[in-house]
Amino acid sequence: MKVSTPAIYWVFFYSLLFGQSVFAQPIDQHPDNPHYFLYQGTPLVLVTSAEHYGAVIHQGFDYEKYLHTLARLGLNHSRIFLGDYFEYPGAFGIMTNTLAPDSNQLIAPWQRSNEPGFKLGGNKFDLDRWNPAYFERLGDFMQQAAEQGVVVEVVLFFSCFIDDTSPFYGPNNINDLPAFSSLEYRTLANEQLLQRQRAYCEKLVEFLNPYDNLIINIANEPWFSNQIETAFASPPKIPTLEWIQEVSSWIVALEANLPKQHLLSVDFTNEGVEIPLDWDATYFQHLSIYNHHYDADAESVIKNYDRIPKIFSFNETGVMATSTPEYRFQAWKYLMNGGALYNNLDFTYQVGDEDGHGTSLFSGGQSGYMGCTDHDVKYQLARLLEFWQGLNFVDMIPGDNCISFEYGHLETYGFYEAGETYLVYFIGSGQPGAYLNMVDGKYRLEWLDPRTLQVLEEEEVMVENSFLNLAGPGFREDIVALLRRVED
């Protein structure tokens, strides 16, 4: 690509400003297996247990302590909202919510005007004036995340039935925008609103362009109150898909003239459904990552891994008990089936407890929204990430082709590189067992506890006639069998 003279000046300006080489490469799809990431020359999966997206927009939140905590634990990902959306205190029954700062602690990309009337308190916004303090905070967050090895997914847009807290919402600004509905916000219907969205999108994308540890998310849950079908797992309606396509085209066109080009993602649906191939080629042609929420059974990746050469992500858990092994189960299942990103929504990170030692309550109790406040989960996920990065996962494939028969009342998942490495994950209790189809040879077999990665048993086994009767120690909850080929 030919770089213009202004672009060259831009390159050197940002090199000086951010202290980063603009010639380094942002996180990308792996060239040999597009289901995975490549970052700083290393194949990568992203696994984390992260806060509720308000680390930047909530000025009371100590993101330095938070990012250092992720790095200390060994987690490598976080997700943030950029400022088009805030929540009321107590929204969704979340009593300690980083996305619900009071008005004095809230910081947005735009400056406040002198006119009172913002829905959450304080003065309205002036969408014609950017807020330098916000961009200083955002830039520092990204820089510190990079230094801690944390890849950040930044979320440009979100609107649900809490649309009247957005700075774009007409009564919240002095710029004569309409009092739009949440559905209108995610369509091309209102040209005035669309131009404001574009200015915001391009400002943020250009500002964030120097960072290699960046994934750009077009929209969080665009299906919210906007599903094609009346079902928990359903993608958004066509007018919203057209809007997603338009927003992604703005980003691609802008970054074509900037030093770096970043991966784009979108939240596709709850759980998982087959992604239509014609949608992938049109509405999502510029995107490399499909995010999914509440995908307890890894349906999104199971139904699409062999069909679409892109990255599959399970980036929000919840709607389940606050403390349960299910969070660990879901993470292992998602990676075992070929997923490359797992983000557990963790409410133990709070203002004053940015190191993840907080305890959150949910006002709806068992009948309302529930999320993770289990302090052990983040440690279990860090061990999973360390284990996975020790695998040659780029050359491994998910599926049950290596399992000819399983016995006992267990869930069983396989992930393997034929003749080299075989991984079998069991959920249940009792005695793990399966008949495996394997390439003949000698293998080191280890039985691991997924909570701790402690080796429970180990031995060398011989595979003959492509068959191994795999039987392990008694277990409760889950267990992993890892077989690696050894030289005779």
Side-chain angles (χ1 to χ4, degrees):
M1 180 183 73
K2 183 178 180 181
V3 181
S4 66
T5 300
I8 291 173
Y9 286 132
W10 192 99
V11 166
F12 287 108
F13 170 74
Y14 275 101
S15 293
L16 293 172
L17 181 63
F18 292 94
Q20 299 182 44
S21 169
V22 294
F23 301 106
Q25 295 298 310
I27 189 169
D28 203 351
Q29 285 180 277
H30 197 285
D32 298 327
N33 188 338
H35 292 303
Y36 293 105
F37 296 103
L38 180 71
Y39 186 44
Q40 299 177 341
T42 301
L44 189 69
V45 294
L46 298 176
V47 177
T48 198
S49 192
E51 63 88 24
H52 189 212
Y53 319 143
V56 170
I57 61 94
H58 196 315
Q59 294 185 93
F61 188 82
D62 184 348
Y63 59 74
E64 182 176 2
K65 181 190 291 185
Y66 165 67
L67 292 170
H68 278 260
T69 298
L70 293 182
R72 175 178 55 80
L73 292 169
L75 300 169
N76 64 355
H77 179 53
S78 192
R79 188 173 192 244
I80 57 171
F81 283 13
L82 288 177
D84 79 320
Y85 169 86
F86 313 107
E87 291 181 350
Y88 291 107
F92 301 104
I94 305 168
M95 305 308 293
T96 50
N97 185 359
T98 56
L99 268 181
D102 66 40
S103 188
N104 292 327
Q105 294 287 358
L106 184 154
I107 191 167
W110 307 274
Q111 294 186 48
R112 299 286 187 122
S113 71
N114 294 322
E115 182 179 331
F118 176 50
K119 186 72 175 182
L120 293 176
N123 290 351
K124 296 182 179 183
F125 290 93
D126 182 350
L127 303 182
D128 289 329
R129 295 192 301 144
W130 300 113
N131 183 357
Y134 166 87
F135 287 97
E136 181 180 358
R137 183 174 171 88
L138 175 61
D140 189 55
F141 177 89
M142 292 299 302
Q143 180 64 34
Q144 293 205 38
E147 292 171 0
Q148 298 301 323
V150 174
V151 175
V152 181
E153 182 181 56
V154 301
V155 181
L156 286 167
F157 296 103
F158 181 43
S159 180
C160 63
F161 59 81
I162 309 176
D163 49 40
D164 62 355
T165 65
S166 173
F168 285 119
Y169 188 70
N172 289 331
N173 61 69
I174 62 169
N175 307 99
D176 300 320
L177 262 68
F180 56 81
S181 70
S182 61
L183 296 182
E184 183 182 11
Y185 188 71
R186 295 166 283 181
T187 71
L188 303 174
N190 189 298
E191 183 65 25
Q192 185 184 12
L193 176 59
L194 194 66
Q195 290 308 310
R196 290 290 183 179
Q197 289 176 329
R198 181 167 187 169
Y200 157 78
C201 171
E202 292 183 341
K203 174 69 174 180
L204 269 297
V205 169
E206 183 171 11
F207 177 82
L208 291 166
N209 187 262
Y211 296 100
D212 296 331
N213 60 322
L214 173 69
I215 296 168
I216 300 172
N217 179 268
I218 305 298
N220 178 75
E221 296 190 350
W223 62 80
F224 204 111
S225 302
N226 182 38
Q227 295 169 301
I228 289 178
E229 299 177 2
T230 304
F232 187 69
S234 172
K237 296 176 182 177
I238 297 300
T240 296
L241 300 180
E242 294 172 341
W243 173 80
I244 291 169
Q245 182 181 19
E246 178 70 10
V247 174
S248 67
S249 71
W250 299 340
I251 299 170
V252 169
L254 178 63
E255 286 205 322
N257 295 308
L258 295 176
K260 298 178 185 290
Q261 290 75 49
H262 293 89
L263 294 178
L264 305 185
S265 67
V266 74
D267 296 7
F268 184 71
T269 186
N270 289 325
E271 296 176 347
V273 298
E274 278 199 1
I275 300 168
L277 296 180
D278 58 331
W279 289 12
D280 181 63
T282 52
Y283 306 125
F284 306 119
Q285 61 183 301
H286 299 307
L287 287 93
S288 302
I289 304 170
Y290 285 109
N291 293 337
H292 297 80
H293 293 180
Y294 314 132
D295 193 10
D297 294 316
E299 290 293 314
S300 61
V301 65
I302 290 171
K303 293 180 177 179
N304 293 292
Y305 182 92
D306 291 329
R307 303 173 59 251
I308 297 176
K310 293 186 177 180
I311 292 167
F312 294 94
S313 158
F314 177 8
N315 72 333
E316 181 175 301
T317 61
V319 196
M320 53 197 280
T322 57
S323 180
T324 170
E326 284 290 335
Y327 295 109
R328 182 179 72 250
F329 297 167
Q330 291 179 10
W332 274 88
K333 282 195 285 187
Y334 208 75
L335 268 59
M336 288 292 299
N337 283 287
L341 189 157
Y342 179 84
N343 180 4
N344 175 54
L345 181 52
D346 189 333
F347 291 95
T348 66
Y349 301 103
Q350 303 161 13
V351 173
D353 285 303
E354 292 88 350
D355 57 359
H357 286 124
T359 300
S360 185
L361 300 176
F362 300 90
S363 63
Q366 294 292 339
S367 62
Y369 177 82
M370 301 285 282
C372 178
T373 64
D374 188 334
H375 293 123
D376 291 335
V377 171
K378 56 179 71 69
Y379 299 96
Q380 296 168 12
L381 296 182
R383 295 182 189 109
L384 168 59
L385 174 59
E386 180 182 15
F387 173 78
W388 215 261
Q389 287 299 130
L391 299 173
N392 184 28
F393 56 82
V394 167
D395 292 330
M396 299 175 74
I397 60 173
D400 294 335
N401 291 339
C402 66
I403 304 173
S404 61
F405 181 75
E406 58 200 60
Y407 46 92
H409 298 290
L410 308 172
E411 290 182 60
T412 310
Y413 301 90
F415 188 68
Y416 65 99
E417 180 187 2
E420 296 296 331
T421 305
Y422 297 82
L423 191 64
V424 185
Y425 178 59
F426 299 87
I427 301 175
S429 63
Q431 200 81 18
Y435 297 150
L436 302 187
N437 298 316
M438 297 176 60
V439 175
D440 287 356
K442 183 188 295 185
Y443 294 83
R444 166 64 61 180
L445 167 62
E446 295 179 335
W447 288 96
L448 306 170
D449 180 349
R451 293 169 295 181
T452 63
L453 286 183
Q454 176 186 358
V455 178
L456 303 174
E457 288 185 5
E458 58 183 325
E459 62 177 317
E460 285 190 352
V461 296
M462 287 296 299
V463 176
E464 299 177 327
N465 300 317
S466 303
F467 174 81
L468 178 68
N469 182 2
L470 183 68
F475 76 104
R476 180 174 56 87
E477 297 183 346
D478 55 350
I479 195 169
V480 175
L482 171 63
L483 296 109
R484 294 184 191 265
R485 189 181 188 93
V486 295
E487 296 297 326
D488 294 333

